Amino acid sequence: MNKMILADNQAIFRAGTAKILAMEDDFRVIAQCGDADRLYQTLETFRGATFIFASTLKLDLQNFMERIQVQGSRCIVIVENNESTQPFISAGVHGAVHRCVTGPGLIDCARRVNRGERGVQGASTGVGPLEEDLVGTRVRDRLTPKEMKIVALIVQGCKNKEIAMRLTTTEQVIKNYLRSIYDKTGVSDRLELALFTIHHRILAEAAAAASDVMLQAN
């Protein structure tokens, strides 16, 4: 059984990764971390585990890799879609994937790293940047401003009650909006919606802009 530890400051993406790994018999997620401090604490607690960590945690790679080696552990970095994996591979990170990685691509990368391979590059969606942007643009243009605000809050991990309070409406109204959003994006639940948004840069940027508008309004 491969012991996996997830470290990512994007809670919804962390939850999606855990869901993907849980479907495989040879992986067990034994801990999750939302920040660098928690990651280092967990590293000292569990030996021989594989850490999947986000580049957005801004770790001191040299220090981190030294501690990984001492603990007999391995690690895979999740980099942003427009970010290069090369600096991490050069620093000794065992594997690297982009946020747009497919579930099978992530699993394949994790298995190869756990077999002892180094410098493993996980397969992405196989969709080119232009095509991916077209998908994100098409969905963005189908969503109303109110729906985009709801998407932004979903990505932040908000529940329906909190979304309703933020948008001064009722939970039932939010549920109605979500049904419309699911139809327009082709997803079936809030986790898939969040991951779909993160994987499409244009849509993610639109959600971030909607979030900024809400913050300015408050």
Side-chain angles (χ1 to χ4, degrees), residues 134-165:
L134 288 175
V135 171
T137 300
R138 185 163 59 247
V139 172
R140 179 199 62 188
D141 293 345
R142 295 182 67 189
L143 297 174
T144 67
K146 178 64 72 66
E147 289 172 339
M148 189 60 73
K149 290 180 181 178
I150 293 173
V151 170
L153 293 170
I154 290 289
V155 170
Q156 294 172 27
C158 296
K159 304 298 183 184
N160 288 353
K161 183 176 181 179
E162 184 178 355
I163 296 173
M165 291 176 61

Side-chain angles (χ1 to χ4, degrees), residues 119-134:
V120 178
Q121 299 276 355
S124 67
T125 58
V127 178
L130 177 59
E131 184 179 348
E132 184 180 2
D133 280 352
L134 288 175

Side-chain angles (χ1 to χ4, degrees), residues 31 42 51 73 89 110 120 152 165 211:
T42 307
F51 286 77
S73 296
I89 297 298
V120 178
M165 291 176 61
S211 180

Side-chain angles (χ1 to χ4, degrees), residues 13-24:
F13 193 90
R14 199 168 66 239
T17 303
K19 183 177 180 181
I20 290 169
L21 293 172
M23 296 174 66
E24 305 298 321

Side-chain angles (χ1 to χ4, degrees), residues 81-82 133 136-137 140 148 151-152 155 196-213:
N81 293 337
N82 60 351
D133 280 352
T137 300
R140 179 199 62 188
M148 189 60 73
V151 170
V155 170
F196 180 88
T197 302
I198 292 168
H199 286 171
H200 292 85
R201 181 177 59 82
I202 291 292
L203 188 58
E205 290 175 352
S211 180
D212 290 342
V213 169

Side-chain angles (χ1 to χ4, degrees), residues 78-99:
I78 299 173
V79 303
E80 299 307 299
N81 293 337
N82 60 351
E83 188 177 6
S84 172
T85 61
Q86 193 54 50
F88 296 92
I89 297 298
S90 297
V93 172
H94 303 89
V97 299
H98 284 91
R99 283 221 185 263

Side-chain angles (χ1 to χ4, degrees), residues 35-86:
D35 56 52
D37 289 342
R38 176 62 178 161
L39 169 57
Y40 283 120
Q41 293 172 8
T42 307
L43 179 58
E44 297 301 322
T45 302
F46 299 100
R47 290 184 59 87
T50 297
F51 286 77
I52 299 180
F53 72 98
S55 63
T56 50
L57 292 178
K58 304 298 183 183
L59 301 179
D60 178 335
L61 278 181
Q62 182 177 350
N63 178 48
F64 178 62
M65 291 311 300
E66 289 174 355
R67 295 169 72 168
I68 281 282
Q69 186 174 3
V70 168
Q71 293 298 103
S73 296
R74 293 163 295 277
C75 59
I76 298 167
V77 64
I78 299 173
V79 303
E80 299 307 299
N81 293 337
N82 60 351
E83 188 177 6
S84 172
T85 61
Q86 193 54 50

